[in-house]
Structures are given as structure tokens and as C-alpha cells.
Amino acid sequence: AVDETEKLQKLYNLLEAKGFETWMEGVALLLALCKNSPKVIPTNIVQIFDYFLLRISDTHNKVKQMALDMLAEIIVILEDALNLVIVLTVEGILKNLNSKDPGVHAA
């Protein structure tokens, strides 16, 4: 449990830190946690997505595109666990449909 708490705290710190490189590291960590610790994420899904959705709406296009690309993988892994955050997630995705950045729009 302590190890899980430390992983989550690291994730939160990376996703809310300053600097796009740190945010990208946080997004990558979220995907890794989804793959390697599938029970940790669903029990903390609301708090995790409060941080993660900030990256989907990020002003930095590289971060936004990476978050959207990884979201596709996260959805496959988490499936039903996303029920609590699906509305906010869809809203975050919809905001990017009009993006002028081709990478963000495609993601």
C-alpha cells in the first residue's frame, strides 16, 4: 500500500508540476501504472483524472497530443473503471476537435 501511495503521489506531482517535459513524464507514468498496476488506478480514478484531464486541455500541443494518444490506450486497459470520469473525459476530448494543430486534431 505504501508503494502504491508513493507511485500515485509521484504521478500527481508530475502531472501538476511546471514544465511540459515533466507533464509528458507524468502522462507516460499514468500509462505505465495502468499497464503494471491495474488495481491502483480504478480505485483512485477520479483524483487521477482530475490531474490527467489538465494535460488533455494543456496549452502545450506536444503534451496535449501525447495525452490524447495515450488516452486511447488507457481506455482499452481501464474500460469500465472509466464510468466515473467518462463525461469529463469526453468533454476534454471534444475541446480538441477544433484544434488547428494536425497532430492534436488527429489524436
Side-chain angles (χ1 to χ4, degrees):
V2 173
D3 185 46
E4 292 175 357
T5 303
E6 290 174 1
K7 288 178 184 177
L8 288 173
Q9 190 57 53
K10 181 178 180 181
L11 175 66
Y12 301 146
N13 290 342
L14 290 172
L15 289 174
E16 71 176 354
K18 294 186 181 193
F20 78 94
E21 292 161 338
T22 307
W23 295 329
M24 291 173 75
E25 186 180 338
V27 171
L29 177 60
L30 175 57
L31 180 59
L33 288 173
C34 288
K35 290 178 178 178
N36 303 321
S37 304
K39 294 181 182 177
V40 173
I41 303 302
T43 56
N44 299 283
I45 194 80
V46 174
Q47 186 172 4
I48 291 169
F49 268 68
D50 282 347
Y51 290 97
F52 177 66
L53 292 175
L54 294 173
R55 303 296 59 102
I56 288 177
S57 302
D58 203 281
T59 56
H60 198 284
N61 284 337
K62 286 184 181 182
V63 176
K64 189 184 308 190
Q65 182 178 348
M66 181 181 183
L68 289 166
D69 286 338
M70 292 201 175
L71 179 61
E73 291 183 63
I74 291 169
I75 289 170
V76 172
I77 296 168
L78 297 181
E79 296 177 343
D80 293 336
L82 292 171
N83 289 343
L84 296 172
V85 294
I86 195 69
V87 172
L88 293 174
T89 303
V90 170
E91 287 175 358
I93 294 168
L94 289 176
K95 290 178 185 176
N96 292 297
L97 289 178
N98 293 329
S99 176
K100 293 179 181 174
D101 183 286
V104 171
H105 181 79

